[in-house]
Amino acid sequence: MSLSVALFPLPPPSLSPQASSFLSLKPRRRRCYFCFPSGPCRQLLPLRRPGPPPPPPLAALAPSNGGGGGGKSYPDPSGDDPPEAPEDSEHGVSKFQQIHRQASRARRIEEDDFRKHRSTFLAAIADVEDAPDDADAPGAGDAGDDLFGEIDKAIALKRREFVKQGLLKPNSKKDKVRGEELAGAVEELEPEEVVDLEEIQELQGLQVVAEDGADDGEDDDAVEFDDEVSGNLNRSNGGSVSDSSFDLDFDTYGRTKARIVEPKFRITLAELLDESKVVPVSVFGNLEVEITGIQHDSRVVSSGDLFVCCVGRKTDGHLFLSEADKRGAVAVVASKEIDIEETLGCKALVIVEDTNAVLPALAASFYRQPSRHMAIIGITGTYGKTTTSYLIKGMYEAMGLRTGMLSTVAYYVHGDNKLELPDTDPDAVLVQNLMAKMLHNGTEAIAMEASSDGLAMGRYNEVDFDIAVFTNLTPDNLDFHGTEEEYKAAEAKLFSRMVDPERHRKIVNIDDPNAPFFMAQGHPDVPVVTFAMENKNADVHPLKFELSLFETQVLVNTPNGILEISSGLLGRHNIYNILAAVAVGIAVGAPLEDIVRGIEEVDAVPGRFELIDEEQAFGVIVDYAHTPDALSRLLDSVRELGPRRIITVIGCAGESGRGKRPLMTKIATDKSEVTMLTSDNPKTEDPLDILDDMLAGVGWTMQDYLKHGENDYYPPLPNGHRLFLHDIRRVAVRAAVAMGEEGDMVVVAGKGHEIYQIEGDKKEFFDDREECREALQYVDELHQAGIDTSEFPWRLPESH
């Protein structure tokens, strides 16, 4: 069914606006952030550098039995070293609690390993027979002293757990015997009957589990619930504690997600060329060959694929024809004369003038033009694309539409149904593939980022956008585009396709000086909805707003009424993102209640000014800002929230952007009371060399810093601010979090949603958000143990 935004017509200009109404569908948040009986906390960790060994870690610090009020001990200012803790001190944590924490940590590591390698684990036991229903009974399947028999039994029981969770299909002996009988029967069928049977089996495999759940499924869930609870009760009555991944999750129980079905596509090469309107220069071979996939990366080619030899900045796809051939490519599209006679399976060759130009059209035609059957909202601009995508998705779903999302941090089919995120930006083929998968699974609308580089490279040439949203434009992406004019022209491609006044809409931020340029693109009669914070002539603008460390409240004026929105998204820049989403809602005629409800449902966006809330007395924010302009805007937004101090953790990546390293330090130290310089994907570059480049931003070298550090790990800067340096990112994050006191804001910038750290040739798991949560819990434990982290191992002047 084709869905268009025309279902929600724009109110005529002559129509008088509705009476002002104040909508607030979510009660204002009231949180308690004062959870420490011992007061606010700070914790400092040592610098790893050449020379004497660093001070002991915080886990080794404990209150001394010496004098002082409350049994605490404070360092003598005249002494060089803090008091030593007794060796047998347990920091107020019993042995049982220590063991429990170690077990919990080991369990989390095991669960993370299972999630990371789940496909490998499942494939390893996919063919194992299920354990019989009475396998848990005493003496059932007794293997005596046969160790391998016990292992087989354990594997079978584990497989049964996976079957209950829906991760594997049942594989009982009965099914196996039935399969053998069916195979024997198939051998007796005629060829035409075999084809019919395969089609029936394929159709049976396309069953979708509804989100609401079926009546029959409720009984199965009840049985599974009873099994899980009885298993937990058995363990509590003396049984061994199993892996927590098999425990009942009460948070997710009852919320059945739709099973994502992979659509299958088949088309002959001749039909594909005809439907895509690609005019070849010449063709060779059999054009009736059947195509079952399309790829331009030889590493992911599979049997039956069409291989398109694209030419990139660093590589030429024509050089990898042999690899694509070995992997099963049956046809090739190229821009150079190549010989396919010596290939193993290539049956056809199509020569075109520019393979890069025809790839989007070929991909869209192969996947049956999926964007034409959904409402597509494209968001372009330098900042705000990701957050605005989340807000629009929430608003459309509040309107009752199944809405997908394509962004730099996540892909959603609709609702909470998330797709695996690739390591690279989606190319023209992947964009069409994802949209086809969404359409096949019931998606009605998609909110997607339309990045400037993607628009410039033609990745979205065949995406049928209905709405174009412009957030802002700053010269922060010139590494790719070269000049600001080229940058602006790339983003304008999205608006140039707004040509149908009945269906298309333009959404423009008129606070940006480039707004007139974008409004002039496309057909002049296409309706435009403007938004702004400063310009009160905008269709959507705030009447008033209130920023705080934990909440944003904004009163929004629209042509259809006044909205009161309370959001967990923090900062002035997020008000712009909220206004952009509201403008989209006004453009499509969304009910005001749905606009408010959908926006308020989005409490956080991964790695975008994301608040880490463990009920501490200060704020902790993780953000993706990794360029000078982005960092400056981030810290300005934080300052506007009115914190007592800003404590910033920032690093620079290795092997690139060396010129911006001093600028990052200069911005951080100017706009933060305390700056922590550290590593951020150093790759093969020495982290200390990167930090040496960063120190140039304050006019120091590494030797200058170490000279200051002989007496004070936080050397004073001319502006009175402090500087800390550590090449281990985990230490820097913990030090920043431990320093936080009531009213402070800790900002960990650079990684955002990324969950890895690249050092040398190793890419290891690292998540700033998880590191902040662990640091907050660790500091709280130290406080409960009676340790004053503000005194160990270093002290700021105000704490003397």
Side-chain angles (χ1 to χ4, degrees):
M1 180 181 67
S2 176
L3 180 68
S4 171
V5 294
L7 293 175
F8 306 98
L10 190 69
S14 59
L15 210 61
S16 61
Q18 302 174 5
S20 298
S21 59
F22 294 81
L23 299 176
S24 181
L25 304 182
K26 182 186 293 185
R28 295 185 180 182
R29 299 172 178 83
R30 291 293 181 263
R31 305 177 182 173
C32 176
Y33 295 96
F34 304 93
C35 60
F36 301 150
S38 59
C41 61
R42 292 188 302 171
Q43 171 191 6
L44 310 179
L45 293 182
L47 165 71
R48 190 184 73 179
R49 60 190 177 97
L58 286 178
L61 300 174
S64 169
N65 294 328
K72 292 185 179 181
S73 172
Y74 296 90
D76 185 355
S78 63
D80 295 330
D81 300 317
E84 295 183 357
E87 294 183 357
D88 59 346
S89 172
E90 294 180 345
H91 312 308
V93 182
S94 67
K95 191 70 174 178
F96 173 79
Q97 290 174 320
Q98 294 180 20
I99 295 174
H100 177 71
R101 289 172 186 162
Q102 293 174 358
S104 299
R105 189 176 297 109
R107 190 179 300 118
R108 286 199 303 271
I109 294 174
E110 185 177 351
E111 290 174 350
D112 292 340
D113 183 67
F114 171 75
R115 284 191 291 268
K116 185 177 180 181
H117 304 287
R118 185 171 74 173
S119 59
T120 303
F121 294 151
L122 296 179
I125 62 174
D127 297 329
V128 176
E129 293 182 359
D130 290 335
D133 296 336
D134 59 347
D136 296 327
D142 189 4
D145 295 331
D146 184 4
L147 175 61
F148 294 102
E150 291 292 338
I151 294 175
D152 292 340
K153 178 181 176 182
I155 293 175
L157 290 173
K158 184 69 73 175
R159 191 188 192 285
R160 189 169 69 179
E161 296 289 347
F162 286 143
V163 171
K164 286 183 179 181
Q165 296 181 15
L167 300 176
L168 290 173
K169 295 182 180 179
N171 186 26
S172 63
K173 290 184 178 180
K174 294 180 180 178
D175 294 336
K176 190 172 183 180
V177 172
R178 182 183 176 186
E180 293 175 353
E181 293 175 352
L182 182 62
V186 170
E187 292 178 357
E188 300 176 0
L189 296 177
E190 297 295 330
E192 296 81 3
E193 295 174 325
V194 173
V195 173
D196 294 338
L197 180 61
E198 290 176 351
E199 292 180 355
I200 293 173
Q201 291 175 343
E202 183 177 357
L203 290 174
Q204 289 175 341
L206 293 179
Q207 296 175 351
V208 180
V209 180
E211 287 185 326
D212 296 333
D215 293 338
D216 295 338
E218 292 179 0
D219 295 335
D220 295 338
D221 289 342
V223 173
E224 182 176 343
F225 179 84
D226 291 338
D227 291 343
E228 293 282 2
V229 173
S230 63
N232 291 335
L233 291 175
N234 290 336
R235 289 194 294 273
S236 65
N237 292 330
S240 60
V241 181
S242 65
D243 192 317
S244 64
S245 61
F246 302 108
D247 294 341
L248 182 63
D249 186 353
F250 287 96
D251 293 331
T252 59
Y253 179 76
R255 289 187 290 175
T256 306
K257 292 184 179 180
R259 182 182 301 155
I260 305 304
V261 179
E262 294 283 348
K264 303 293 183 182
F265 296 90
R266 296 175 182 273
I267 190 173
T268 66
L269 182 57
E271 292 172 338
L272 180 60
L273 294 175
D274 182 57
E275 294 185 11
S276 63
K277 296 181 173 58
V278 171
V279 180
V281 175
S282 58
V283 294
F284 304 92
N286 180 18
L287 293 184
E288 296 302 319
V289 60
E290 187 176 65
I291 306 298
T292 58
I294 180 170
Q295 295 293 345
H296 68 97
D297 186 344
S298 61
R299 296 168 296 182
V300 294
V301 168
S302 59
S303 180
D305 283 355
L306 168 68
F307 179 60
V308 183
C309 302
C310 292
V311 179
R313 291 187 171 187
K314 298 180 180 179
T315 60
D316 186 344
H318 297 83
L319 303 176
F320 302 96
L321 173 60
S322 60
E323 181 180 355
D325 175 49
K326 292 176 182 178
R327 293 180 180 273
V330 296
V332 179
V333 175
S335 57
K336 303 176 182 178
E337 293 288 344
I338 55 178
D339 185 10
I340 64 169
E341 293 183 357
E342 298 181 358
T343 59
L344 300 174
C346 290
K347 301 177 182 177
L349 170 65
V350 177
I351 302 296
V352 296
E353 292 183 358
D354 186 351
T355 50
N356 293 23
V358 303
L359 179 64
L362 291 172
S365 297
F366 177 80
Y367 289 110
R368 306 291 193 270
Q369 303 287 350
S371 64
R372 295 181 182 178
H373 309 284
M374 298 178 286
I376 311 296
I377 306 97
I379 304 101
T380 192
T382 306
Y383 302 113
K385 297 186 295 295
T386 301
T387 301
T388 304
S389 297
Y390 271 86
L391 292 169
I392 292 173
K393 178 179 183 294
M395 181 180 63
Y396 266 65
E397 289 185 337
M399 292 158 57
L401 299 176
R402 289 191 169 192
T403 308
M405 188 181 74
L406 297 177
S407 76
T408 54
V409 301
Y411 298 157
Y412 285 95
V413 174
H414 52 70
D416 295 330
N417 299 286
K418 201 172 184 179
L419 295 173
E420 184 176 352
L421 193 69
D423 293 334
T424 58
D425 293 335
D427 53 44
V429 175
L430 183 57
V431 166
Q432 297 295 335
N433 175 275
L434 292 171
M435 287 187 170
K437 187 180 298 184
M438 292 177 179
L439 178 64
H440 189 74
N441 287 274
T443 301
E444 299 167 286
I446 298 176
M448 66 176 292
E449 296 183 37
S451 64
S452 60
D453 52 345
L455 288 165
M457 298 175 68
R459 295 172 186 164
Y460 316 124
N461 281 0
E462 296 298 322
V463 176
D464 189 7
F465 290 100
D466 296 277
I467 300 176
V469 181
F470 169 67
T471 59
N472 50 67
L473 183 68
T474 65
D476 199 40
N477 196 19
L478 299 186
D479 290 344
F480 178 86
H481 296 284
T483 66
E484 189 170 353
E485 288 302 317
E486 292 178 356
Y487 186 15
K488 185 165 65 173
E491 295 198 336
K493 288 185 176 182
L494 175 63
F495 280 78
S496 65
R497 294 157 70 175
M498 300 293 105
V499 295
D500 185 353
E502 295 296 324
R503 182 167 67 93
H504 291 153
R505 298 290 184 271
K506 304 174 187 176
I507 314 297
V508 180
N509 170 17
I510 60 173
D511 277 347
D512 191 284
N514 297 287
F517 172 77
F518 286 94
M519 294 169 65
Q521 303 299 312
H523 197 287
D525 293 337
V526 171
V528 180
V529 179
T530 60
F531 67 96
M533 285 190 67
E534 308 298 335
N535 192 332
K536 300 307 178 183
N537 293 323
D539 299 315
V540 177
H541 63 269
L543 298 176
K544 65 177 182 179
F545 60 88
E546 182 178 338
L547 302 173
S548 72
L549 294 179
F550 303 103
E551 187 180 44
T552 298
Q553 296 185 16
V554 57
L555 199 65
V556 182
N557 184 66
T558 76
N560 299 341
I562 297 175
L563 312 179
E564 183 180 2
I565 298 174
S566 177
S567 173
L569 303 178
L570 308 182
R572 171 184 286 266
H573 65 287
N574 272 322
I575 295 182
Y576 273 106
N577 299 330
I578 290 171
L579 295 176
V582 171
V584 172
I586 296 299
V588 300
L592 300 184
E593 295 87 349
D594 292 342
I595 295 176
V596 174
R597 184 171 67 252
I599 289 175
E600 289 190 338
E601 282 297 320
V602 181
D603 280 329
V605 175
R608 299 301 191 273
F609 217 85
E610 183 176 358
L611 180 66
I612 308 300
D613 184 7
E614 295 291 328
E615 299 186 348
Q616 71 277 6
F618 55 93
V620 178
I621 283 177
V622 173
D623 193 86
Y624 187 55
H626 59 286
T627 65
D629 184 59
L631 180 63
S632 179
R633 288 170 172 264
L634 169 65
L635 295 179
D636 286 343
S637 295
V638 173
R639 182 64 66 187
E640 195 170 8
L641 300 179
R644 188 178 73 92
R645 293 184 308 169
I646 297 178
I647 304 169
T648 301
V649 180
I650 189 66
C652 291
E655 301 180 1
S656 64
R658 185 173 182 179
K660 73 179 183 181
R661 293 172 185 174
L663 294 175
M664 298 286 282
T665 303
K666 175 66 174 173
I667 292 170
T669 53
D670 284 348
K671 300 188 176 186
S672 310
E673 279 73 15
V674 179
T675 300
M676 309 271 184
L677 303 183
T678 188
S679 297
D680 185 353
N681 296 333
K683 301 178 183 175
T684 59
E685 195 170 352
D686 189 337
L688 295 180
D689 290 341
I690 298 175
L691 293 172
D692 195 29
D693 291 341
M694 295 182 72
L695 284 171
V698 292
W700 288 351
T701 65
M702 182 65 72
Q703 294 302 320
D704 294 332
Y705 175 80
L706 295 177
K707 186 186 300 181
H708 281 285
E710 292 177 359
N711 300 312
D712 191 344
Y713 282 117
Y714 295 89
L717 299 172
N719 59 6
H721 294 172
R722 296 281 179 156
L723 183 67
F724 172 79
L725 183 150
H726 207 296
D727 60 331
I728 298 179
R729 190 175 182 88
R730 178 172 289 109
V731 172
V733 171
R734 289 194 174 191
V737 170
M739 289 182 62
E741 294 183 326
E742 181 181 346
D744 289 345
M745 182 65 84
V746 177
V747 179
V748 183
K751 286 189 173 297
H753 64 284
E754 290 181 353
I755 55 173
Y756 58 82
Q757 176 84 327
I758 304 175
E759 296 184 11
D761 296 331
K762 295 181 179 179
K763 185 177 182 180
E764 298 180 346
F765 177 83
F766 191 96
D767 189 338
D768 278 347
R769 297 162 296 180
E770 290 303 315
E771 292 297 328
C772 289
R773 293 187 181 98
E774 290 186 8
L776 288 167
Q777 295 169 6
Y778 185 52
V779 171
D780 190 26
E781 292 172 6
L782 291 175
H783 288 177
Q784 293 179 14
I787 298 175
D788 185 359
T789 56
S790 66
E791 297 294 334
F792 294 107
W794 310 296
R795 301 179 298 280
L796 291 178
E798 59 266 28
S799 65
H800 281 176

